[in-house]
Amino acid sequence: MSTVTSRRTLAPTPTTPRRRTALDWRVRFGVLSLIWGFSFLLIKVGTEGYAPFQVTFGRLLFGTAVLAAAMAVKRERLPRGARTWGHLAVAAFLLNALPFSLFAYSELTIPSTLAGICNATSPLWGMALSLVALSEDRPTRLRVAGLGIGFIGVLTVLGVWQGFHGLDATGTAMALLASLSYPIGWIYVRRTLAGTGHSHLSMTGAQLLLATAQLAFVTPLFTALPSHFPVVPLLAIIALGALGTGLAMLIQYGIVAEVGPTTAQMVTYFIPVIATAAGVALLGESLTWSTPVGAVIVLAGAALTQAKPRT
């Protein structure tokens, strides 16, 4: 759950022709915000009955099924070429398998609210990486200021003046690393998979398929087959995959195609708000003043890092 043009899809470029759909893009934008905002709650519920790798595998499996169905309806084919599939395998690891697993493991010890706020740091990581990795994204004073403000916001969320009292350092670090994985993955995608000639739906479907295969290999090595299958956590995993991964990707794909990636990526700023509200209201997670205040500061900093220089 990140930004950098889009969160987990090989997003269309701004030159993609706009599409007209029966449902206004603002409504779909709101639905997408809700789906991704509730994803952190679904991860928390899923890990109450299943191991983190199992949650991630189920999420990818059901998400891939939705993408496969969409490809079948549109008669899309998987991309060809060993080189393309090799790059997609790396993208699948950095944009799906790794961050999804890290978030699942992090929520064993931290609230879903904190995980959602950590996800909002992706634009900050992206800005920091762009200073050294993407020459075309030259830093401006406003963007650097946003990076500093965002860092202050992270420290506020973590309660640095209290010595991080009551905070699980390992779980928080995992959530932050998951957020870092997204911009790293997008830098890789921009440098290796731009202009392949394949449709974005096809590329995204292949990416999810490879991520599912990666988890299918890893999960049996580190987890045992469940002796029973708790219903509520299982339903949470199904919803996380079918809605939070598969359907959400399709919705975002349409929004980016219609209004462009700059507007579509604004969904990132609504996710922590919804994740926090869901965690507090439905899971009874505690909330101190520093969490919402820090989240606002993080989002303000993240917004500044995305500001375009004047021409």
Side-chain angles (χ1 to χ4, degrees), residues 218-269:
V218 171
T219 302
L221 298 179
F222 295 94
T223 62
L225 188 67
S227 57
H228 63 287
F229 296 87
V231 176
V232 174
L234 180 59
L235 292 177
I237 294 172
I238 294 174
L240 181 64
L243 301 178
T245 304
L247 179 61
M249 283 185 169
L250 294 176
I251 294 175
Q252 192 199 30
Y253 172 79
I255 294 175
V256 172
E258 185 172 343
V259 299
T262 301
T263 300
Q265 74 181 5
M266 293 298 291
V267 69
T268 300
Y269 307 123

Side-chain angles (χ1 to χ4, degrees), residues 130-155:
S130 71
L131 297 177
V132 295
L134 292 174
S135 58
E136 66 268 27
D137 289 341
R138 297 184 181 276
T140 63
R141 291 182 179 180
L142 190 62
R143 289 181 171 183
V144 173
L147 185 62
I149 292 172
F151 180 69
I152 293 174
V154 172
L155 295 180

Side-chain angles (χ1 to χ4, degrees), residues 71 77-81 84-85 88 196 198-199 202-203 205-207:
M71 290 178 63
R77 293 183 178 181
L78 291 172
R80 298 179 180 179
T84 298
W85 279 89
L88 281 172
T196 59
H198 300 289
S199 75
S202 173
M203 297 285 279
Q207 178 183 311

